[in-house]
């Protein structure tokens, strides 16, 4: 293996299927161990704060929820120069605009990773504030990880079963199991905004 590889999940776990990418990198870290030159990162919605990580990477693999206009739960892999276009073609949230800008800035500064791979999943629900992944999207975490593992092996990187370094992932309190088991029901907490300001009957 040559060069450094950054495996990143981006998105906002607070908005249902928007959290797909972050949940993928969490699941990857929980099941696989990697050589020292592979870094796993919860990129969340950090935007330009991610630039230093891109600067150090030769290969970037990104998990994200992307609105391809396909059937919910559909996985689509985009590589190379097409990645920035897909990140911004049909924006679902500010994080996608932000990450498109991150790639563009890295390219302008001359340190964008040479290899770009986007593993995206078509979301089903994005308007459930505090909600978790819908079943059809959650079911694609394992297939998405398999795609990433195949890409890594093709590059000569051999993951082994185990646990990865998680110091660049989210706090344990908002990892998927803790987050989804601990959140209140829809009856206890409005998921789409502040109930005081919603139109009557909404």
């Amino acid at each position: 293996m040559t060069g450094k590889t950054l495996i990143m999940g981006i998105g906002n776990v607070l908005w249902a299927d928007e959290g797909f990418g972050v949940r993928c990198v969490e699941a990857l870290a929980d099941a696989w161990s990697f050589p020292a030159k592979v870094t796993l990162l919860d990129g969340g919605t950090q935007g330009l704060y991610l630039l230093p990580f891109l600067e150090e990477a030769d290969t970037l693999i990104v998990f994200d929820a992307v609105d391809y206009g396909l059937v919910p739960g559909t996985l689509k892999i985009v590589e190379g120069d097409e990645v920035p276009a897909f990140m911004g073609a049909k924006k679902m949230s500010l994080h996608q605009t932000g990450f498109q800008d991150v790639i563009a800035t890295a390219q302008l500064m001359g340190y964008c990773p040479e290899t770009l791979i986007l593993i995206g999943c078509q979301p089903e629900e994005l308007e459930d504030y505090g909600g978790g992944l819908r079943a059809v999207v959650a079911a694609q975490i394992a297939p998405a990880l398999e795609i990433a593992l195949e890409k890594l092996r093709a590059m000569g990187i051999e993951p082994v079963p185990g646990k990865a370094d998680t110091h660049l992932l989210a706090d344990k309190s908002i990892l998927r199991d803790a987050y989804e088991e601990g959140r209140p029901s829809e009856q206890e907490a409005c998921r789409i905004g502040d109930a005081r300001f919603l139109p009557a009957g909404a």
Side-chain angles (χ1 to χ4, degrees):
M1 180 185 68
T2 58
K4 295 183 178 181
T5 298
L6 175 63
I7 305 175
M8 180 163 53
I10 58 176
N12 190 335
V13 298
L14 299 179
W15 287 103
D17 291 335
E18 255 259 12
F20 173 77
V22 173
R23 299 315 187 195
C24 280
V25 78
E26 288 174 3
L28 192 66
D30 191 52
W32 295 91
S33 178
F34 300 89
K37 291 187 177 182
V38 177
T39 299
L40 272 60
L41 171 67
D42 173 356
T45 59
Q46 296 181 65
L48 293 174
Y49 289 103
L50 298 172
L51 275 173
F53 294 98
L54 269 66
E55 182 177 5
E56 296 179 357
D58 300 289
T59 296
L60 172 64
I61 298 176
V62 180
F63 297 103
D64 193 16
V66 180
D67 189 353
Y68 298 110
L70 302 174
V71 175
T74 301
L75 288 177
K76 184 176 178 67
I77 294 79
V78 180
E79 301 189 38
D81 293 339
E82 293 185 336
V83 170
F86 271 91
M87 294 301 302
K90 190 173 182 182
K91 302 177 185 68
M92 301 184 306
S93 68
L94 291 176
H95 95 261
Q96 287 192 332
T97 307
F99 194 69
Q100 188 184 33
D101 290 342
V102 170
I103 295 177
T105 303
Q107 290 173 330
L108 284 172
M109 297 182 74
Y111 55 64
C112 188
E114 182 177 348
T115 301
L116 299 174
I117 301 171
L118 167 63
I119 303 173
C121 182
Q122 177 71 39
E124 178 180 57
E125 179 57 67
L126 299 171
E127 299 299 324
D128 183 4
Y129 183 70
L133 299 181
R134 295 304 186 259
V136 69
V137 172
Q140 295 304 314
I141 291 177
L145 299 193
E146 282 303 315
I147 292 167
L149 293 170
E150 288 174 9
K151 296 290 185 182
L152 291 169
R153 291 173 182 132
M155 292 185 284
I157 299 171
E158 290 295 334
V160 296
K163 304 287 184 181
D165 181 353
T166 60
H167 81 281
L168 293 175
L169 300 189
D171 184 83
K172 291 182 179 180
S173 65
I174 57 171
L175 295 181
R176 186 181 174 201
D177 286 347
Y179 173 76
E180 296 194 2
E181 291 173 5
R183 73 178 188 270
S185 69
E186 293 182 54
Q187 290 71 38
E188 295 174 297
C190 180
R191 297 282 180 76
I192 58 173
D194 190 324
R196 296 172 296 173
F197 302 104
L198 294 175

